[in-house]
Amino acid sequence: MRELAARADQLAAAITALHEELRQGEDAVSRTGFRLDDAAGWARRISGDLQETASDLARIAARPADSCAVPWGVCPEHGNTLTSTSGTTRCNAGGCGRTWGYNRDNAPCAEPATHRLVDAEGTEALICDGHAIDARNRLIGGRIEPL
């Protein structure tokens, strides 16, 4: 993935160089490159998206074996209180102020499992403190037990 990102960066540089070359031509030729700034920008955005995806995959691969089983993140102290925008996640609980430099609410939880959740059908999952907070507010007909 990072190799593809590097290739996208090289493509952006080549498009920019071509645009500069066209600008040096006669008036009609110099105007034909008007789309190339956008094209180079798209290539740079592609590179950034590939880099961010590679980072997300690395974060998932680095999750400890005893991590929470829930496939989305929470604030470890306040539960389901996250908002993500522009690649940054914030806890919205008053006075918390925690932020993460990635879309934490869209990534598997990497917090240590501290509770056993058993739903109304008897399905079990090991969950973290933050997910236990949220489950206590939403779970109907099940139970949450500390490990």
Side-chain angles (χ1 to χ4, degrees):
M1 187 132 355
R2 295 201 193 278
E3 180 183 323
L4 281 174
R7 288 167 50 193
D9 284 335
Q10 291 168 350
L11 179 60
I15 293 169
T16 298
L18 175 59
H19 192 202
E20 289 300 318
E21 186 178 319
L22 288 175
R23 284 183 179 162
Q24 303 305 315
E26 63 182 63
D27 193 38
V29 171
S30 69
R31 289 190 311 244
T32 62
F34 70 94
R35 295 177 193 91
L36 296 181
D37 277 339
D38 287 343
W42 280 109
R44 284 189 290 278
R45 280 185 283 267
I46 289 167
S47 174
D49 288 348
L50 288 166
Q51 291 285 4
E52 287 179 30
T53 301
S55 295
D56 291 345
L57 289 170
R59 205 173 356 275
I60 290 168
R63 286 178 62 225
D66 65 346
S67 291
C68 177
V70 180
W72 63 87
V74 292
C75 175
E77 187 176 343
H78 299 105
N80 190 18
T81 56
L82 302 181
T83 301
S84 289
T85 183
S86 301
T88 299
T89 302
R90 290 173 176 40
C91 176
N92 293 321
C96 181
R98 287 186 183 188
T99 62
W100 295 267
Y102 64 98
N103 251 359
R104 183 178 175 90
D105 56 346
N106 202 26
C109 187
E111 295 295 321
T114 56
H115 293 78
R116 179 181 323 281
L117 177 133
V118 183
D119 69 13
E121 287 82 38
T123 304
E124 296 185 16
L126 299 179
I127 62 173
C128 66
D129 289 339
H131 279 105
I133 291 167
D134 189 49
R136 284 187 190 100
N137 295 327
R138 299 173 193 262
L139 185 64
I140 299 172
R143 65 186 188 280
I144 303 162
E145 307 162 346
L147 293 179

